[in-house]
Amino acid sequence: MTKPLLDVQHVEVSYSGRPVVHDVSFQMKPGEVLGIVGESGSGKSTLIKAAMGLLGNNGVITKGDIYYKGHNVIDAKYDDIRKMRGPEMGMIFQNTEAVLCPIRTIEEQLYESVTQHERVSRAEIRTRAREIFDKMNLTDSDRILKSYPFELSGGMNQRVGIMMAMILKPDLLFADEPTSALDVTVQAQIVREMMKMHELYGMAIAMVTHNIGVVAHMADKIAVMYQGRLVEYGKKEDVIYHPQEPYTKKLIGAVLRINRGED
Ligand SMILES: Nc1ncnc2c1ncn2[C@@H]1O[C@H](COP(=O)(O)OP(=O)(O)OP(=O)(O)O)[C@@H](O)[C@H]1O
């Protein structure tokens, strides 16, 4: 059996002493795509932030363990986790523009991000960025690299986010609602580009989304969160066609009704 890439065991996460994620367990194999769905406030982002060591000052993993490639992330030193972020675990945010510095070009920020992990020249970084943009069928990579984030559209900033994550070739990519700030046609394009990256580089993806349609298209497995608990978790086909929990049935039923134009 393949060893899990990520093994989350009975995790509880609390903010300022208040538990918001309760007893969550799941595993991800190398190359697997996991869709994490559930209503607002159910703990989806908290879960992936916990795995990346990004909970902030008032957030703590109060119970359980998270293993990445067999190493317990919870016991790891801050510096070791920081080194893992990027080349091991990458992240794409909901709104890349908001996490970039507004007064520095994409290229400057890319250079800083890559050189935290590798000694590499600006020319080499530009070449690697161009290669990734080419795979996304973007022909004006030089203009994008020379731009400030505010000079790019929302969709273009998300592609920059994908490129900045992929340039370090992570084995696991976390994506926290990477398309929800975009209009529908651009959303579909970003999803296609993420899937293309997955086909080319083979990384595992854990993607938080409100959109079950996106999950149905992308995921191998689905995790359904409800009020801080993982209420359903399994293969995509099983969760979509044979949901066990009332909450999942409601969630999927709503999407099917919308697709049939009943709402
Ligand atoms: N930094 C924080 N400090 C205190 N409470 C927080 C913090 N971040 C999240 N919470 C709380 O933890 C719970 C889970 O929030 P979380 O953002 O993980 O949910 P979510 O499912 O990702 O929601 P959304 O889909 O709206 O992003 C919520 O009750 C939220 O208010």
Side-chain angles (χ1 to χ4, degrees), residues 236-262:
K236 168 175 75 183
E237 294 75 15
D238 293 341
V239 174
I240 291 185
Y241 297 112
H242 308 287
Q244 300 297 312
E245 292 296 317
Y247 175 69
T248 319
K249 287 180 187 164
K250 219 171 95 188
L251 193 73
I252 306 233
V255 175
L256 294 179
R257 276 199 303 281
I258 290 168
N259 287 349
R260 286 199 300 261
E262 290 173 21

Side-chain angles (χ1 to χ4, degrees), residues 15-16 18 20-21 38-47 49 55 58-59 94 176-177 208 210 225:
Y15 288 112
S16 309
R18 182 177 73 96
V20 296
V21 164
E39 63 193 12
S40 187
S42 58
K44 306 179 299 292
S45 303
T46 298
L47 199 55
K49 282 184 194 153
L55 281 171
N58 63 340
Q94 180 174 355
D176 195 353
E177 310 217 17
V208 169
H210 279 108
M225 295 286 294

Side-chain angles (χ1 to χ4, degrees), residues 105-166:
T105 63
I106 302 297
E107 186 173 320
E108 286 170 60
Q109 300 186 59
L110 181 65
Y111 180 74
E112 186 184 274
S113 153
V114 175
T115 52
Q116 276 185 22
H117 301 283
E118 295 177 49
R119 284 185 65 158
V120 54
S121 70
R122 279 175 195 273
E124 166 67 17
I125 291 175
R126 232 177 278 130
T127 306
R128 286 198 214 166
R130 229 178 261 136
E131 269 170 27
I132 298 170
F133 280 144
D134 281 353
K135 285 170 182 148
M136 293 192 231
N137 298 323
L138 293 178
T139 46
D140 51 354
S141 44
D142 289 342
R143 177 187 69 84
I144 300 169
L145 289 173
K146 285 189 171 53
S147 297
Y148 294 91
F150 65 84
E151 293 179 307
L152 302 173
S153 67
M156 198 57 85
N157 269 306
Q158 287 313 86
R159 285 141 134 189
V160 165
I162 296 174
M163 178 276 289
M164 286 182 83
M166 293 315 304

